[in-house]
Amino acid sequence: MTAFIRKGTIPHALLFTGIEGVGKKTAARMFAMACNCQGEGREQPHLNSGQTGLPDNHKISEPCGICRSCRKILSNSHPDVIHIRPSGYSIRISQIRDLCGILSLKPYEAKVRVVIISDAQAMNVAAGNALLKMLEEPPDRTILILTAAEKTDLISTVSSRCQNIKFNPVSRGKIAQILSEKKGVNPVDADIFAGMSNGSLSGAYNISSSKLLRKRDWLIGELESLSINDTGRCLAFAERLSKDKDDFLDSIEAIDIWYRDLAVFRHSSDKVIFIDLSDKMRISCKKYSEQSIISKFEEIQTARKAIRANGNLRLTAESLVLKLVQI
Ligand SMILES: [Zn+2]
């Protein structure tokens, strides 16, 4: 992005791709700020507007974060920074038509108007086609930024007209550092949450509570102490697991990570996610063969699919627990 700004080759439409929580929307907003900042200094006046959506003689500067324009964008109250999000599950054609109406007028006050279409894969075909027209004839002084997980999530006629910028998952170390500094999470827990988040900062924010770790301890403690000879206890555990769908899915994630850690622990004990449970892992990893752990992953995946497909929670939990204990 900075390279685009430096080179002055900002296209009319950008597509930011990457998993949820890697800063795509934040970057889009920073970009809108950079294009419109009224703060002084650090100007880079060598943009070649001929190849961009920027007006002639436009200068772009690093955003100061404090000028009127920056503050308006930060508080989501800038009339020329337009954010389109899915309404319900989809972005509808009426939303894109309304946008076309707004873009047919000149910007109110911005040097460069920025339209951010979040979760652009939620556009249905009609909405995508309406947007396509806009991409073919870009409105004056306007840059469109679409966000999606993958380029292939969008219809190809739309994605091929956007410059794709891929966002990488955030590193475990970086997420742990942010959780410690901004949320006051202790370093060990921050490292665990960071490992569980798969590189998504917002995901890490959502899961970072001590309650989750207490629940994890209970889950793993129960699971490791169950025996196939005590079916009654297995079924009672399954009943507690299956009370709530989302809760059940969260429990499954924790169990999945536990077995993943057991598999990893044998070869590189420093790469585990539940780093605070390494003493337990040392004991448990001797109990299961690699084949047994692979079979457990398969059972977990089967259960996950059944839950997502609205299968019977209780039956799914019973089947999962009995199999995990058996194999
Ligand atoms: Zn500014």
Side-chain angles (χ1 to χ4, degrees):
M1 180 89 75
T2 317
F4 275 137
I5 293 173
R6 288 213 186 96
K7 280 192 233 156
T9 52
I10 304 164
H12 291 286
L14 298 164
L15 169 62
F16 291 177
T17 52
I19 58 164
E20 188 64 35
V22 289
K24 302 189 293 292
K25 285 174 211 118
T26 306
R29 202 152 63 159
M30 288 296 289
F31 180 75
M33 285 162 65
C35 289
N36 288 292
C37 183
Q38 298 155 341
E40 289 185 359
R42 290 186 292 177
E43 283 195 307
Q44 299 171 13
H46 50 278
L47 279 174
N48 177 359
S49 60
Q51 298 168 57
T52 75
L54 298 170
D56 288 337
N57 308 320
H58 176 64
K59 293 176 181 179
I60 204 161
S61 41
E62 298 285 325
C64 70
I66 50 173
C67 71
R68 195 166 157 272
S69 168
C70 281
R71 278 187 283 118
K72 274 190 170 183
I73 296 171
L74 281 171
S75 63
N76 292 325
S77 59
H78 198 299
D80 296 313
V81 177
I82 302 159
H83 205 153
I84 309 271
R85 300 177 180 83
S87 150
Y89 289 108
S90 60
I91 295 175
R92 296 173 190 165
I93 187 164
S94 58
Q95 290 174 271
I96 302 297
R97 282 196 183 130
D98 290 348
L99 176 66
C100 291
I102 295 168
L103 297 189
S104 66
L105 308 169
K106 283 196 182 314
Y108 289 101
E109 56 188 77
K111 290 184 270 189
V112 179
R113 182 163 49 189
V114 177
V115 178
I116 303 166
I117 304 183
S118 295
D119 301 310
Q121 76 282 357
M123 277 189 294
N124 57 30
V125 175
N129 285 331
L131 183 74
L132 192 57
K133 206 164 171 298
M134 208 185 302
L135 292 171
E136 283 167 345
E137 294 165 36
D140 193 29
R141 288 159 58 195
T142 301
I143 292 172
L144 273 86
I145 302 178
L146 281 63
T147 76
E150 300 270 354
K151 188 177 175 182
T152 49
D153 291 343
L154 301 184
I155 53 174
S156 60
T157 41
V158 168
S159 61
S160 64
R161 283 171 174 80
C162 302
Q163 176 78 46
N164 188 197
I165 298 173
K166 288 182 190 161
F167 284 61
N168 295 321
V170 185
S171 75
R172 182 170 173 177
K174 183 73 193 165
I175 292 181
Q177 186 193 346
I178 293 170
L179 288 180
S180 282
E181 285 173 5
K182 299 213 167 152
K183 272 195 89 178
V185 180
N186 75 61
V188 174
D189 290 0
D191 186 39
I192 297 168
F193 295 132
M196 292 172 76
S197 70
N198 287 324
S200 164
L201 183 58
S202 64
Y205 264 99
N206 290 338
I207 58 173
S208 56
S209 80
S210 52
K211 205 172 129 203
L212 181 101
L213 292 183
R214 283 199 300 276
K215 188 178 161 201
R216 173 205 66 171
D217 292 344
W218 170 76
L219 276 169
I220 293 169
E222 280 291 300
L223 197 58
E224 290 298 306
S225 67
L226 288 176
S227 154
I228 194 63
N229 299 321
D230 190 351
T231 318
R233 226 181 121 204
C234 290
L235 295 181
F237 179 57
E239 189 190 351
R240 285 189 69 179
L241 273 187
S242 60
K243 281 191 176 135
D244 172 86
K245 182 179 170 177
D246 288 336
D247 209 40
F248 191 6
L249 282 168
D250 288 346
S251 300
I252 283 193
E253 287 313 311
I255 294 171
D256 192 56
I257 293 173
W258 168 247
Y259 289 128
R260 175 242 175 235
D261 274 356
L262 289 185
V264 170
F265 188 81
R266 296 160 200 250
H267 310 291
S268 34
S269 57
D270 58 325
K271 297 246 166 48
V272 297
I273 290 173
F274 293 152
I275 197 95
D276 57 332
L277 301 182
S278 48
D279 288 344
K280 255 195 172 103
M281 280 172 208
R282 195 164 290 116
I283 300 164
S284 292
C285 76
K286 290 180 190 138
K287 279 167 51 183
Y288 313 114
S289 66
E290 292 205 353
Q291 186 51 50
S292 151
I293 291 182
I294 291 168
S295 304
K296 286 176 197 292
F297 283 139
E298 285 166 1
E299 293 305 329
I300 288 170
Q301 186 56 14
T302 305
R304 197 185 272 127
K305 275 189 196 156
I307 301 165
R308 289 194 180 132
N310 291 323
N312 183 304
L313 295 182
R314 179 78 178 270
L315 291 178
T316 306
E318 287 179 357
S319 164
L320 175 67
V321 172
L322 291 174
K323 281 179 176 149
L324 289 180
V325 173
Q326 209 166 11
I327 50 184

Coordinates of all heavy atoms in Angstrom, one line a residue, residues 17-24 26 166-179 190-191 193-205:
T17 N -7.6 -8.9 0.5 CA -8.0 -10.3 0.9 C -7.1 -10.8 2.1 O -6.0 -10.4 2.2 CB -7.8 -11.3 -0.3 OG1 -6.5 -11.2 -0.8 CG2 -8.8 -11.0 -1.4
G18 N -7.7 -11.7 2.8 CA -7.1 -12.3 4.0 C -8.1 -12.7 5.0 O -9.3 -12.3 4.9
I19 N -7.7 -13.5 6.0 CA -8.7 -14.0 6.9 C -9.2 -12.9 7.8 O -8.7 -11.8 7.8 CB -8.1 -15.1 7.9 CG1 -6.8 -14.5 8.6 CG2 -7.7 -16.3 7.1 CD1 -6.4 -15.3 9.8
E20 N -10.3 -13.1 8.5 CA -11.0 -12.1 9.3 C -10.0 -11.7 10.4 O -9.2 -12.5 11.0 CB -12.2 -12.7 10.0 CG -13.1 -11.8 10.7 CD -13.7 -10.7 9.9 OE1 -14.0 -11.0 8.7 OE2 -13.9 -9.6 10.4
G21 N -9.9 -10.4 10.7 CA -9.1 -10.0 11.8 C -7.6 -9.7 11.5 O -6.8 -9.7 12.4
V22 N -7.3 -9.4 10.3 CA -5.9 -9.1 10.0 C -5.7 -7.7 9.6 O -4.6 -7.3 9.0 CB -5.3 -10.1 8.9 CG1 -5.1 -11.5 9.4 CG2 -6.1 -10.1 7.6
G23 N -6.7 -6.9 9.8 CA -6.5 -5.4 9.6 C -6.9 -4.9 8.3 O -6.5 -3.8 7.9
K24 N -7.8 -5.6 7.5 CA -8.2 -5.1 6.2 C -9.0 -3.8 6.3 O -8.7 -2.9 5.6 CB -9.0 -6.2 5.4 CG -8.3 -7.5 5.3 CD -9.0 -8.5 4.3 CE -10.3 -8.9 4.9 NZ -10.2 -9.8 6.0
T26 N -9.2 -1.8 8.9 CA -8.3 -0.7 9.5 C -7.4 -0.1 8.4 O -7.3 1.1 8.3 CB -7.5 -1.3 10.6 OG1 -8.3 -2.0 11.5 CG2 -6.7 -0.3 11.3
K166 N -2.9 -8.8 -0.7 CA -3.1 -9.9 0.2 C -2.6 -9.6 1.6 O -1.5 -9.1 1.7 CB -2.4 -11.2 -0.3 CG -3.1 -11.8 -1.4 CD -2.4 -13.1 -1.8 CE -3.0 -13.6 -3.2 NZ -2.1 -14.5 -3.8
F167 N -3.4 -9.8 2.6 CA -3.0 -9.5 4.0 C -2.6 -10.9 4.6 O -3.4 -11.8 4.5 CB -4.2 -8.9 4.8 CG -4.4 -7.5 4.5 CD1 -4.7 -7.0 3.2 CD2 -4.3 -6.5 5.5 CE1 -4.9 -5.7 2.9 CE2 -4.5 -5.2 5.2 CZ -4.8 -4.8 3.9
N168 N -1.4 -10.9 5.2 CA -1.0 -12.2 5.8 C -1.6 -12.3 7.3 O -1.9 -11.3 7.9 CB 0.5 -12.2 6.0 CG 1.2 -12.3 4.6 OD1 0.7 -13.0 3.7 ND2 2.2 -11.5 4.4
P169 N -1.7 -13.5 7.8 CA -2.1 -13.7 9.2 C -1.1 -12.9 10.0 O 0.1 -12.9 9.7 CB -2.0 -15.2 9.4 CG -2.2 -15.8 8.1 CD -1.5 -14.8 7.1
V170 N -1.5 -12.4 11.2 CA -0.6 -11.7 12.1 C 0.1 -12.7 12.9 O -0.4 -13.8 13.2 CB -1.4 -10.8 13.0 CG1 -0.5 -10.0 13.9 CG2 -2.4 -9.9 12.2
S171 N 1.4 -12.5 13.1 CA 2.3 -13.5 13.8 C 1.8 -13.7 15.3 O 1.2 -12.8 15.9 CB 3.7 -13.1 13.8 OG 3.9 -12.1 14.7
R172 N 2.0 -14.9 15.7 CA 1.7 -15.2 17.1 C 2.3 -14.3 18.1 O 1.6 -13.8 19.0 CB 2.1 -16.7 17.4 CG 1.7 -17.2 18.8 CD 1.9 -18.7 18.9 NE 1.7 -19.1 20.3 CZ 1.8 -20.4 20.7 NH1 2.1 -21.3 19.8 NH2 1.6 -20.7 21.9
G173 N 3.6 -14.0 17.9 CA 4.3 -13.1 18.8 C 3.7 -11.7 18.8 O 3.6 -11.1 19.9
K174 N 3.3 -11.2 17.6 CA 2.8 -9.9 17.5 C 1.4 -9.8 18.3 O 1.1 -8.8 19.0 CB 2.6 -9.5 16.1 CG 2.1 -8.1 15.8 CD 3.2 -7.1 16.0 CE 2.7 -5.7 16.1 NZ 3.7 -4.7 16.7
I175 N 0.6 -10.8 18.0 CA -0.7 -10.8 18.7 C -0.6 -10.9 20.2 O -1.2 -10.1 20.9 CB -1.6 -12.0 18.1 CG1 -2.0 -11.8 16.7 CG2 -2.9 -12.1 19.0 CD1 -2.8 -12.9 16.1
A176 N 0.3 -11.7 20.6 CA 0.5 -11.9 22.1 C 1.0 -10.5 22.7 O 0.5 -10.1 23.7 CB 1.6 -13.0 22.4
Q177 N 1.9 -9.9 22.0 CA 2.3 -8.6 22.4 C 1.2 -7.5 22.5 O 1.1 -6.8 23.5 CB 3.4 -8.1 21.4 CG 4.1 -6.8 21.9 CD 4.9 -6.2 20.7 OE1 5.1 -6.8 19.7 NE2 5.3 -4.9 20.9
I178 N 0.3 -7.5 21.5 CA -0.8 -6.6 21.5 C -1.8 -6.9 22.7 O -2.2 -6.0 23.4 CB -1.5 -6.6 20.1 CG1 -0.5 -6.0 19.1 CG2 -2.8 -5.7 20.2 CD1 -1.0 -6.1 17.6
L179 N -2.0 -8.2 22.9 CA -3.0 -8.6 23.9 C -2.4 -8.2 25.3 O -3.1 -7.7 26.2 CB -3.2 -10.1 23.9 CG -4.1 -10.7 22.8 CD1 -4.2 -12.2 23.0 CD2 -5.5 -10.0 22.8
A190 N -1.5 -14.7 27.0 CA -1.5 -13.9 25.8 C -0.9 -14.8 24.7 O -1.5 -14.9 23.5 CB -0.7 -12.6 25.9
D191 N 0.1 -15.6 25.0 CA 0.7 -16.5 24.0 C -0.2 -17.6 23.6 O -0.3 -18.0 22.5 CB 2.0 -17.0 24.6 CG 2.8 -17.8 23.6 OD1 2.9 -17.4 22.4 OD2 3.4 -18.9 24.0
F193 N -3.7 -17.5 23.8 CA -4.7 -16.9 23.0 C -4.2 -16.6 21.6 O -4.9 -16.9 20.6 CB -5.3 -15.7 23.6 CG -6.0 -15.9 24.9 CD1 -5.7 -15.1 26.0 CD2 -6.9 -16.9 25.1 CE1 -6.3 -15.3 27.3 CE2 -7.5 -17.1 26.3 CZ -7.2 -16.3 27.4
A194 N -3.0 -16.1 21.5 CA -2.4 -15.8 20.2 C -2.3 -17.1 19.3 O -2.6 -17.1 18.1 CB -1.1 -15.1 20.3
G195 N -1.9 -18.2 20.0 CA -1.8 -19.5 19.3 C -3.1 -20.0 18.8 O -3.2 -20.6 17.7
M196 N -4.1 -19.7 19.6 CA -5.5 -20.2 19.3 C -6.1 -19.4 18.2 O -7.1 -19.9 17.6 CB -6.4 -20.2 20.5 CG -6.0 -21.2 21.6 SD -7.0 -20.9 23.1 CE -8.5 -21.6 22.7
S197 N -5.7 -18.2 18.0 CA -6.4 -17.3 17.1 C -6.1 -17.5 15.6 O -6.7 -16.9 14.7 CB -6.0 -15.8 17.4 OG -4.6 -15.6 17.0
N198 N -5.1 -18.4 15.2 CA -4.8 -18.6 13.8 C -4.4 -17.4 13.1 O -4.7 -17.2 11.9 CB -5.9 -19.3 13.1 CG -6.1 -20.7 13.5 OD1 -5.1 -21.4 13.7 ND2 -7.3 -21.2 13.6
G199 N -3.8 -16.4 13.8 CA -3.3 -15.2 13.1 C -4.3 -14.1 12.9 O -4.1 -13.1 12.2
S200 N -5.5 -14.3 13.6 CA -6.5 -13.2 13.5 C -6.5 -12.4 14.8 O -6.8 -12.9 15.9 CB -7.9 -13.9 13.3 OG -8.9 -12.9 13.6
L201 N -6.2 -11.1 14.7 CA -6.1 -10.3 15.9 C -7.5 -10.1 16.5 O -7.6 -10.2 17.7 CB -5.5 -8.9 15.5 CG -5.3 -7.9 16.7 CD1 -4.4 -8.5 17.7 CD2 -4.7 -6.6 16.2
S202 N -8.5 -9.9 15.7 CA -9.8 -9.7 16.3 C -10.3 -11.0 16.9 O -11.0 -11.0 17.9 CB -10.8 -9.2 15.2 OG -11.0 -10.2 14.2
G203 N -9.9 -12.2 16.3 CA -10.3 -13.5 16.9 C -9.6 -13.6 18.2 O -10.3 -14.1 19.2
A204 N -8.4 -13.2 18.4 CA -7.7 -13.3 19.6 C -8.4 -12.4 20.7 O -8.5 -12.8 21.8 CB -6.2 -12.9 19.5
Y205 N -8.8 -11.2 20.3 CA -9.5 -10.3 21.2 C -10.8 -11.0 21.7 O -11.1 -10.9 22.9 CB -9.9 -9.0 20.5 CG -8.9 -7.9 20.7 CD1 -7.9 -7.6 19.8 CD2 -8.9 -7.1 21.9 CE1 -7.0 -6.6 20.0 CE2 -8.0 -6.1 22.1 CZ -7.1 -5.8 21.1 OH -6.2 -4.8 21.4

